[in-house]
Amino acid sequence: MSARLQAIKWERPHLTILNQLALPHSSEYIEISDARAGHYAISSMQTRGAPAIAIVAALSLAAELSTMHFDTSASARTHIHMQLDYLATSRPTAVNLFDAITKLKHAVDTTITDSGQVVRDTYVQMAERMLDADVKDNMAIGEHGAQLIGNDKVRVLTHCNTGTLATAGYGTALGIVRSLHAQGSLDRVYFTETRPYNQGARLTAFELLTEEIPAQLVCDSAVSALLRSDPMIRAIIVGADRVAANGDTANKIGTYQLAITARYHGCQFIVAAPTTSVDLHTKSGADIVIEERDEAEILVQTGFERQGVLEGRLKRVEVQVAPVGTRAWNPSFDVTPAELISAIVTERGIVVKQPGASEFDMAGHMRGE
């Protein structure tokens, strides 16, 4: 992981995050002192990406608890449960958040003590372990994914932002890109702009430039033409906000159409996600709740005035793109059917479908089979 880019900084009891709404032209860090600030950072998309959402939520409460005193274990558990339930309302689709909340509640509920401070410390230590584990898991995903794609010089394409900015560090799909680059196998990575929030054009571009990885930006609507014109593209690699038991995958809007064009052009379509993104309680993609965001995100574009950026003075502006009165549909995610996915890469290894099967056995993978 590059020391030049760190989206989440934790030095007990202080949590600071890189404000992703200000990127790529300003690296502004925000202190998150409590669960309320963590909730706002997640819901406003100052921080985003399924793994990062879970870590910021967990650590925002850790920062809050570090300044509190509890007379009894019961009062500490009550407060922790209440705040975790509140954080769960920040964004509904990414399963990592709910997985982290379940584990954190279990940790404090199974701590045998009468001391509120012991319960508090148990929570903080568990949240810190989650931060460390996410980085290790992402590096393992990168290694497995690079192994799957091979050692030949290749080009790949990725969508949205799935790197250091979306995780505790290194990244999932972008972690595979990093690993390919590190082993000398990457000729170039194409990345989509990822409308309407432009996570690719703003965030992935920022990461790739920082890491000096050869890359090229493409419009969301240009991918099919690109696959037809560039035979060196070996795979499309995406992240995931939730993987159902059968392998159906919810990810940033636009992922589904990428899977369709990958199938048509004979290109591998690879999902990269930690096992914390796997939801065995969700049988298929039909059961995944899809977040719908404000239509203004499509109708109005926000950015920095170009001349100001060139001169080093930043001025944020809003541009009304569509006529006033236009209505818009703005789902934040879509669901890609397992049938269109070539492989799912987790920190545990590479998941493929059995011969003749159209779905994945994610439960078997989680059991180590």
Side-chain angles (χ1 to χ4, degrees):
M1 181 176 60
S2 171
R4 292 174 292 181
L5 184 59
Q6 191 174 3
I8 302 171
K9 296 182 178 180
W10 170 254
E11 294 181 9
R12 192 194 297 186
H14 300 291
L15 171 65
T16 54
I17 63 168
L18 189 59
N19 179 9
Q20 298 188 28
L21 296 179
L23 290 173
H25 306 299
S26 175
S27 296
E28 168 191 314
Y29 281 90
I30 303 169
E31 182 161 3
I32 305 296
S33 58
D34 55 28
R36 183 167 295 277
H39 188 286
Y40 178 79
I42 295 166
S43 60
S44 68
M45 293 183 67
Q46 289 176 334
T47 191
R48 25 69 52 208
I53 286 170
I55 299 300
V56 169
L59 290 176
S60 70
L61 181 51
E64 175 181 312
L65 294 172
S66 296
T67 64
M68 298 181 68
H69 177 81
F70 297 96
D71 292 330
T72 66
S73 59
S75 63
R77 290 189 182 99
T78 298
H79 182 81
I80 289 169
H81 274 255
M82 178 181 68
Q83 294 299 72
L84 287 175
D85 289 342
Y86 167 65
L87 286 163
T89 66
S90 57
R91 293 196 75 182
T93 302
V95 72
N96 307 59
L97 173 61
F98 302 98
D99 178 76
I101 287 172
T102 298
K103 290 174 179 174
L104 289 163
K105 284 182 176 180
H106 178 75
V108 299
D109 289 348
T110 56
T111 300
I112 302 173
T113 180
D114 293 327
S115 168
Q117 301 310 96
V118 170
V119 172
R120 180 199 67 177
D121 292 345
T122 297
Y123 176 94
V124 173
Q125 292 162 10
M126 181 69 175
E128 290 173 337
R129 287 197 296 272
M130 288 180 171
L131 175 67
D132 294 336
D134 188 61
V135 177
K136 293 177 182 177
D137 289 347
N138 292 336
M139 295 186 75
I141 289 170
E143 293 174 5
H144 293 311
Q147 177 186 5
L148 173 64
I149 292 171
N151 296 319
D152 297 335
K153 208 73 169 178
V154 297
R155 294 176 181 175
V156 297
L157 182 140
T158 192
H159 185 56
C160 196
N161 172 259
T162 57
T164 295
L165 297 174
T167 64
Y170 201 74
T172 54
L174 210 56
I176 295 177
V177 171
R178 279 188 169 91
S179 293
L180 287 169
H181 179 62
Q183 71 184 27
S185 301
L186 183 71
D187 180 78
R188 180 185 306 167
V189 55
Y190 294 102
F191 60 102
T192 60
E193 56 186 349
T194 320
R195 289 270 293 136
Y197 240 80
N198 293 310
Q199 291 99 324
R202 293 187 302 109
L203 307 180
T204 298
F206 179 73
E207 288 203 43
L208 294 171
L209 283 171
T210 301
E211 300 281 350
E212 299 180 350
I213 295 174
Q216 195 164 1
L217 173 66
V218 297
C219 293
D220 292 355
S221 54
V223 173
S224 293
L226 177 65
L227 291 179
R228 172 165 289 193
S229 65
D230 190 344
M232 280 189 68
I233 299 175
R234 180 74 59 83
I236 294 178
I237 314 169
V238 301
D241 285 78
R242 189 181 296 247
V243 179
N246 71 338
D248 289 352
T249 296
N251 191 50
K252 180 55 54 186
I253 191 70
T255 302
Y256 182 19
Q257 64 193 29
L258 292 178
I260 293 171
T261 195
R263 172 62 62 88
Y264 180 82
H265 290 93
C267 182
Q268 288 189 86
F269 188 84
I270 299 169
V271 171
T275 51
T276 53
S277 294
V278 177
D279 181 8
L280 297 181
H281 299 293
T282 298
K283 184 178 179 180
S284 73
D287 301 321
I288 298 176
V289 176
I290 299 298
E291 174 187 8
E292 293 192 20
R293 295 183 63 83
D294 193 328
E295 62 183 13
E297 293 177 356
I298 295 179
L299 306 175
V300 178
Q301 285 290 283
T302 302
F304 292 96
E305 186 183 65
R306 182 174 185 272
Q307 192 61 37
V309 171
L310 296 176
E311 295 175 357
R313 51 175 183 81
L314 297 181
K315 180 182 179 182
R316 184 182 289 275
V317 294
E318 289 188 346
V319 177
Q320 180 72 38
V321 178
V324 174
T326 302
R327 300 305 306 273
W329 180 53
N330 188 21
S332 194
F333 306 94
D334 57 28
V335 176
T336 300
E339 183 179 0
L340 296 177
I341 299 170
S342 306
I344 298 174
V345 182
T346 78
E347 74 276 12
R348 299 184 184 183
I350 301 165
V351 193
V352 295
K353 288 168 278 195
Q354 294 297 316
S358 61
E359 298 181 337
F360 293 88
D361 178 12
M362 297 310 299
H365 179 67
M366 298 293 279
R367 291 192 301 267
E369 298 175 359

